[in-house]
């Protein structure tokens, strides 16, 4: 195989991995492709938490007539094969059992007990192992999992939209800025995150549902910061229709009447964020999408409490209103979503 072919097969593994984006957390998204003399003979991805890993799915996909070819095949996998017993057996055992002679890996799995040991086990058994193919893309794909296990906190993504003249909206009424394509994309992002967070003003003025009603995926845990108890009882976030956390200084009188809503009690403005991170980790929530408002977003930006930001710039001109937060550095890239522009930032790029 040449470098170009290797990269094509690894990109296929990445594409497969992303198919599991809504069901595997807090496990990582992983894709695997088995290749014999340039032909894909099996492929798979991690579909759901607790289910078979990508390597298992790829081996199972090999037809009976092609199974003898496994002993001459190359396995391309987006993340280092696991080597510990969890909800499923180690994938390193499967690779050795099937006699797969070569494994190409993009990113190292930083999970305790793995973190390079999977590579070591395979190499000691005589398997040819190549690591770091398309490493930057592989690391981005596994960033949520690796952040969760190494820093013991969820991966934090900021999302907001502003007008061409730099305003999020008006201070006293909701303003819709982005187009229908961007709206649906945001609902997909929600389905790919374990939890979603908004501040008090967003919860009261915009009255969001924070659901995935425009995309066929699971809705995340809804969270709102409401230290002074300002969210009205009729707000969507207090409809008790799905798992919801409200961060407050005290519980309301009717808190016991709610079945799906929980109040996290914080002491002050600086206490609620560490409290929330601890609770999310304890609940196994590996990713958090922060959708506003301006004060909450700027609070996290100033303290460096974010990993990634996704910023829409609309074609709308507001002529005044709530100023958009300011992110450090320049975006990594820009995409066009119809009439909107989407700018992607990664904090690590600006803090090395």
């Amino acid at each position: 195989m040449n470098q170009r072919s290797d990269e094509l097969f690894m990109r296929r593994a990445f594409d497969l991995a992303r198919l599991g984006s809504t069901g595997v957390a807090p496990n990582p998204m992983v894709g695997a492709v088995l290749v014999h003399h340039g032909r894909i003979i099996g492929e798979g991805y991690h579909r759901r938490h607790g289910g078979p890993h990508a390597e298992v799915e790829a081996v199972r996909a090999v037809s009976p007539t092609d199974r003898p070819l496994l002993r001459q095949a190359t396995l391309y996998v987006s993340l280092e094969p696991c080597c510990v017993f969890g909800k499923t057996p180690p994938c390193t055992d499967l690779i050795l059992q099937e006699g797969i002679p070569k494994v190409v890996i993009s990113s190292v799995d930083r999970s305790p007990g793995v973190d390079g040991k999977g590579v070591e086990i395979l190499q000691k058994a005589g398997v040819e192992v190549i690591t770091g193919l398309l490493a930057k893309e592989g690391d981005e794909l596994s960033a949520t999992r690796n952040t969760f296990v190494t820093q013991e906190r969820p991966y934090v993504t900021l999302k907001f939209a502003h007008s061409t003249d730099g305003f999020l909206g008006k201070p006293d009424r909701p303003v819709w800025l982005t187009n229908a394509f961007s709206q649906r994309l945001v609902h997909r992002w929600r389905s790919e995150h374990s939890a979603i967070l908004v501040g008090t003003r967003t919860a009261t003025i915009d009255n969001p549902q924070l659901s995935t009603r425009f995309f066929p995926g699971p809705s995340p845990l809804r969270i709102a910061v409401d230290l002074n108890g300002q969210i009205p009882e009729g707000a969507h976030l207090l409809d008790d229709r799905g798992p919801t956390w409200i961060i407050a200084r005290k519980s309301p009188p009717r808190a016991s009447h709610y079945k799906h809503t929980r109040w996290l009690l914080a002491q002050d403005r600086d206490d609620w964020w560490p409290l929330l991170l601890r609770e999310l980790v304890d609940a196994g929530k590996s990713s958090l999408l922060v959708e506003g408002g301006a004060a909450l977003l700027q609070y996290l930006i100033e303290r460096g409490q974010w990993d990634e930001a996704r910023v829409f710039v609309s074609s709308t001109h507001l002529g005044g209103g709530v100023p958009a937060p300011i992110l450090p550095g320049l975006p990594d890239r820009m995409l066009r979503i119809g009439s909107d522009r989407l700018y992607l930032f990664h904090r690590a790029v600006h803090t090395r």
Side-chain angles (χ1 to χ4, degrees):
M1 290 294 163
N2 57 40
Q3 180 76 12
R4 178 173 170 76
S5 296
D6 287 339
E7 291 182 357
L8 286 172
F9 291 129
M10 186 59 75
R11 291 191 194 282
R12 176 60 181 166
F14 293 161
D15 289 341
L16 288 165
R18 294 185 185 97
L19 294 176
S21 62
T22 62
V24 300
N27 280 0
M29 297 179 286
V30 185
V33 179
L34 281 161
V35 177
H36 178 263
H37 289 176
R39 179 172 68 92
I40 294 176
I41 60 172
E43 59 183 25
Y45 64 96
H46 187 31
R47 297 170 182 267
R48 59 179 177 82
H49 182 246
H53 287 189
E55 298 91 331
V56 176
E57 294 280 15
V59 169
R60 287 179 178 175
V62 178
S63 69
T65 55
D66 282 341
R67 285 197 68 86
L69 303 180
L70 283 172
R71 294 186 173 274
Q72 304 164 36
T74 298
L75 172 67
Y76 295 83
V77 60
S78 61
L79 188 67
E80 176 184 12
C82 67
C83 56
V84 294
F85 279 91
K87 293 183 180 294
T88 61
C91 289
T92 49
D93 286 2
L94 173 69
I95 293 167
L96 297 178
Q97 173 188 317
E98 297 294 340
I100 299 169
K102 182 177 179 179
V103 178
V104 181
I105 299 165
S106 179
S107 183
V108 172
D109 184 350
R110 300 300 180 187
S111 300
V114 189
D115 200 9
K117 190 175 179 182
V119 172
E120 181 183 339
I121 288 171
L122 294 175
Q123 288 177 329
K124 284 185 175 179
V127 176
E128 180 185 356
V129 181
I130 296 173
T131 60
L133 179 64
L134 300 176
K136 182 177 183 294
E137 294 172 52
D139 289 346
E140 287 181 6
L141 187 65
S142 48
T144 295
R145 171 64 177 183
N146 283 340
T147 298
F148 189 64
V149 297
T150 60
Q151 301 185 37
E152 296 185 337
R153 65 168 179 83
Y155 185 87
V156 179
T157 299
L158 311 181
K159 169 263 160 186
F160 58 94
H162 64 75
S163 62
T164 52
D165 49 346
F167 296 100
L168 290 184
K170 298 294 184 179
D172 55 349
R173 59 183 172 86
V175 175
W176 193 260
L177 292 173
T178 53
N179 62 44
F181 299 105
S182 297
Q183 182 183 40
R184 180 162 292 212
L185 178 60
V186 169
H187 282 232
R188 173 177 177 170
W189 292 344
R190 288 177 179 178
S191 75
E192 296 171 343
H193 284 77
S194 305
I196 183 170
L197 172 69
V198 294
T200 307
R201 289 185 62 82
T202 298
T204 54
I205 295 173
D206 292 350
N207 192 22
Q209 297 182 51
L210 302 186
S211 68
T212 57
R213 59 196 180 279
F214 298 131
F215 186 81
S219 291
L221 167 69
R222 306 183 302 180
I223 310 172
V225 183
D226 189 27
L227 294 176
N228 297 318
Q230 295 174 285
I231 300 177
E233 197 166 300
H236 287 308
L237 290 180
L238 293 179
D239 61 17
D240 205 37
R241 291 184 179 177
T244 306
W245 293 355
I246 306 296
I247 303 168
R249 288 194 175 95
K250 61 181 181 179
S251 301
R254 298 186 67 254
S256 61
H257 294 266
Y258 288 86
K259 294 181 179 180
H260 306 293
T261 305
R262 176 187 173 201
W263 273 262
L264 302 183
L265 302 186
Q267 298 301 314
D268 53 45
R269 177 178 170 83
D270 294 321
D271 176 63
W272 71 268
W273 179 249
L275 168 67
L276 175 59
L277 293 184
R278 289 195 301 271
E279 293 289 342
L280 288 170
V281 170
D282 289 345
K285 305 297 183 182
S286 58
S287 58
L288 175 66
L289 181 64
V290 183
E291 287 203 10
L296 172 58
L297 291 163
Q298 197 63 51
Y299 175 89
L300 298 178
I301 292 168
E302 289 174 358
R303 288 159 178 77
Q305 298 294 304
W306 63 285
D307 298 290
E308 183 179 338
R310 304 170 184 180
V311 182
F312 290 100
V313 178
S314 155
S315 58
T316 302
H317 182 90
L318 288 180
V322 180
I326 300 172
L327 286 159
L330 297 173
D332 306 323
R333 53 183 165 149
M334 186 273 284
L335 304 171
R336 290 199 175 273
I337 313 292
S339 58
D340 298 332
R341 286 171 291 161
L342 172 60
Y343 293 91
L344 305 177
F345 297 77
H346 288 84
R347 190 176 70 87
V349 173
H350 307 295
T351 56
R352 287 173 183 160

